[in-house]
């Protein structure tokens, strides 16, 4: 009796093997089933960290043991969510990459709550500084100035007069378009094995396959509002003009109500996600190869650099591997014979420049009267006579995508007040540009360095920030091969911290579901032997 219930128990767990002498033992293949599933996640950004976090949770719920290892070539968790410090002083954190998310981004906001992080809005810190909160500059004039305190454009009477129904129609279109996207979080859409199919099933193809310009026209949104407001938003968020970015992204860019950032840095969300589930962190470690083994597992090759600077090449085997970052920049050699190799897609090269200066932005630079304050956030659009272009040339006459005065900061050396700025541009801003922007007297040489009195701290970073979000109907595969996964296809659908975190969660669910399916199949193949086993056990 005892024996039979033991057998039943093991059979239920899919781990039954019975020898002729009627003792239940585990063979080596069964030991593997008891051993945890070893999963490697390559990339500790939003996608990889979310994969780790959700994989642990889904696995626990399904009673599957997992052992998660997260690799990153950076020495920090967060990827494109990363923080640097003005004057290199930890009191003054500033986002170098992804800076904002919104309330409806539930993976991020749930994590913020779970990890007791604090968020804050964007504009409050500059209240005492003169100037409108936001202005849209076309390289010659400010076409719009707003004191809304945030990027909400819908409800002002000024706008009604100027743009008629376009703001209200944009809001409705934004809500209906992004509303379809939010279905991806729930059954029957979640988890999704094909982004291409899901986009079609969600009826989002009309948005992804049209340019922003076309999508607005189809939906009766006047071109003036598109040009002045929506394009300012697509340029600051994706460095792209409406004629080239797709309709879906043009709407995503308008969904900025309630934008917040984590105090101290958004990367903390992802760092906590990895810690919360005790995933192994293997940082400062590029993975160079993924080889497939005969038994269906994968061997990773990775390089660790010792404190003495010696590079050591190591290998480790995993049952499943997730590539959680853009494949084309991963510098990984993939095993031969993989079902799907991710395609190369064009990414924006974005120059982010952070700097502190005691100077406010120069009115002269923006062709304003002397003494007139420049808006604290300057977004850009094109001049009316300027043809929109694709790629870096799309920046047009303004020469930059955005300049924001983030906050006042006390200069640690002089004790005086500085301002902290962030500039997005397709090229590195040179001394001539910066001098003119800050209203400094012209130096004798064009490229003479600016003195520390005028720019007290500067930090430059070049990102492959996000794809050129051109109209498309097909998105990269999520499953590249059996037990080999890829999150990066999400980026040519929507590239944000939240969406990439959603893709990580999706991959986590698919891994657990497939593992369950495999266990079930094994169990069924044992179950066919069960009557025989029980019969012999009963003798
Ligand atoms: C300037 C800027 C502003 C942005 N603004 C916003 C914003 O306001 N809001 C928003 O939501 N999104 C924003 N984004 C987009 C957002 O940052 C990305 O969509 C998101 O962070 C991508 O997450 P990910 O995990 O997919 O990729 P990543 O964050 O790039 O993570 C991939 C990781 O993989 C690692 N890796 C790659 N190859 C290897 C390898 N071979 N071995 C080991 N490690 C490897 C990389 O080091 C990296 O850390 C912005 C991006 C930039 C650059
Ligand atoms: C779990 O992963 C770690 C780090 O990759 C590894 O060192 C360890 O051997 C793994 N444990 C098991 C039981 O496989
Ligand atoms: C910034 O601060 C860190 C830690 O205090 C220090 O290790 C590093 O050298 C500093 N960098 C610069 C450029 O001063
Ligand atoms: C967050 O705060 C709550 C209540 O203060 C506490 O119970 C919980 O452990 C905290 N969580 C973390 C991750 O610090
Ligand atoms: C790509 O990886 C190889 C080793 O596999 C390394 O030598 C090379 O420096 C890497 N390139 C980049 C751009 O990281």
């Amino acid at each position: 009796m005892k024996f039979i219930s033991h057998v039943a128990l093991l059979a239920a767990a899919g781990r039954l093997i019975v020898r002729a002498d009627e003792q239940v033992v585990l063979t080596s293949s069964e030991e593997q089933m008891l051993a945890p599933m070893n999963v490697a996640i390559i990339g500790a950004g939003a996608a990889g960290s979310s994969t780790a976090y959700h994989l642990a949770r889904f696995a626990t719920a399904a009673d599957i043991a997992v052992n998660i290892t997260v690799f990153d070539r950076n020495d920090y968790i967060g990827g494109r969510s990363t923080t640097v410090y003005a004057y290199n002083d930890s009191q003054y954190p500033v986002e170098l990459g992804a800076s904002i998310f919104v309330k409806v981004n539930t993976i991020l906001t749930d994590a913020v709550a779970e990890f007791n992080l604090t968020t804050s809005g964007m504009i409050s810190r500059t209240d005492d500084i003169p100037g409108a909160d936001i202005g849209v500059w076309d390289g010659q004039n400010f076409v719009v100035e707003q004191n809304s305190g945030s990027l909400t454009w819908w409800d002002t009477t000024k706008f009604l007069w100027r743009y008629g129904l376009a703001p209200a129609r944009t809001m409705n279109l934004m809500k209906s378009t992004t509303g379809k996207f939010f279905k991806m979080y729930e059954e029957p859409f979640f988890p999704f094995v094909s982004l291409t199919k899901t986009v079609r099933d969600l009826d989002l193809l009309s948005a992804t396959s049209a340019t922003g310009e076309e999508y607005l026209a189809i939906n009766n949104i006047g071109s003036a509002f598109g040009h002045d407001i929506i394009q300012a938003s697509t340029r600051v968020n994706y460095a792209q003009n409406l004629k080239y970015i797709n309709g879906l992204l043009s709407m995503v860019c308008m969904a900025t109500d309630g934008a917040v950032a984590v105090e101290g840095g958004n990367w903390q969300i992802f760092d906590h996600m990895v810690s919360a589930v005790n995933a192994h962190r293997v940082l400062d470690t590029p993975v160079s190869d993924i080889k497939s083994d005969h038994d269906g597992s994968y061997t990773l090759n990775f390089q660790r650099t010792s404190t003495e600077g010696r590079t050591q090449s190591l290998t480790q085997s995993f049952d499943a591997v997730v590539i959680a970052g853009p494949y084309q920049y991963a510098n990984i050699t993939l095993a031969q014979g993989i079902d799907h190799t991710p395609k190369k897609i064009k990414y924006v090269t974005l120059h982010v420049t952070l700097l502190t200066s005691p100077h406010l932005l120069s009115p002269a630079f923006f062709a304003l009267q002397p003494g007139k304050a420049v808006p604290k956030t300057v977004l850009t659009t094109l001049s009316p006579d300027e043809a929109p272009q694709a790629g870096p040339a799309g920046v047009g006459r303004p020469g930059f995508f955005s300049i924001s005065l983030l906050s006042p900061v006390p200069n640690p050396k002089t004790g005086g007040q500085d301002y902290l700025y962030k500039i997005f541009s397709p090229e590195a801003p040179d001394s001539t540009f910066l001098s003119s922007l800050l209203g400094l007297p012209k130096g004798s040489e064009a490229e003479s360095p600016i003195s520390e009195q005028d720019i007290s701290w500067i930090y430059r970073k070049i990102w492959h920030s996000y794809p050129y979000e051109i109209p498309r109907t097909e998105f990269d595969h999520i499953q590249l091969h059996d037990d080999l996964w890829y999150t990066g296809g999400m980026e040519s659908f929507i590239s944000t911290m939240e969406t990439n975190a959603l893709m990580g969660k999706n991959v986590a669910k698919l891994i657990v579901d497939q593992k369950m399916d495999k266990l079930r199949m094994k169990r069924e193949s044992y179950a066919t032997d069960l009557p025989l086993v029980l019969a012999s056990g009963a003798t």
Side-chain angles (χ1 to χ4, degrees), residues 40-52 70-72 78-80 290 321-327 330 332 480 484-489 491 500 503-504 507:
I41 298 170
I42 305 169
S49 307
S50 169
T51 308
V70 179
F71 291 88
D72 206 297
R80 273 169 276 170
I290 304 175
V321 176
V322 181
I323 302 172
Y327 174 69
I332 288 176
L480 303 181
L484 181 61
W485 302 89
Y486 182 54
T487 62
E491 288 206 64
N500 290 28
M503 182 55 105
V507 165

Side-chain angles (χ1 to χ4, degrees), residues 42-48 71-74 76 78-81 96-101 105 108 237 285-288 324-326 329-332 350 352 424 463-466 487 491 495-500:
I42 305 169
F71 291 88
D72 206 297
R73 61 180 163 216
N74 292 332
Y76 64 89
R80 273 169 276 170
S81 303
L96 186 60
S99 56
I100 56 167
F101 56 97
N105 290 167
L108 301 182
N237 284 303
T285 303
V287 175
S288 56
Y329 300 119
N331 196 18
I332 288 176
L350 186 73
V352 175
F424 286 174
W463 290 109
H464 297 298
S465 48
Y466 18 66
T487 62
E491 288 206 64
S495 173
T496 62
M497 295 183 279
E498 173 76 7
T499 47
N500 290 28

Side-chain angles (χ1 to χ4, degrees), residues 68-149:
I68 303 168
T69 307
V70 179
F71 291 88
D72 206 297
R73 61 180 163 216
N74 292 332
D75 62 4
Y76 64 89
I77 290 198
R80 273 169 276 170
S81 303
T82 185
T83 302
V84 295
Y85 302 94
Y87 316 110
N88 199 28
D89 180 333
S90 62
Q91 286 179 6
Y92 309 114
V94 47
E95 295 292 359
L96 186 60
S99 56
I100 56 167
F101 56 97
V102 291
K103 253 198 225 88
V104 287
N105 290 167
T106 51
I107 295 178
L108 301 182
T109 49
D110 287 354
V112 161
E114 180 182 343
F115 304 136
N116 295 337
L117 298 169
T118 310
T119 58
S120 58
M122 294 283 87
I123 287 166
S124 52
R125 284 180 292 179
T126 58
D127 279 351
D128 298 335
I129 300 168
D133 284 327
I134 299 172
V136 178
W137 195 56
D138 71 1
Q140 294 171 317
N141 300 295
F142 278 99
V143 294
V144 171
E145 285 188 30
Q146 274 274 103
N147 268 316
S148 63

Side-chain angles (χ1 to χ4, degrees), residues 112 450 453:
V112 161
I450 298 172
Q453 279 165 6

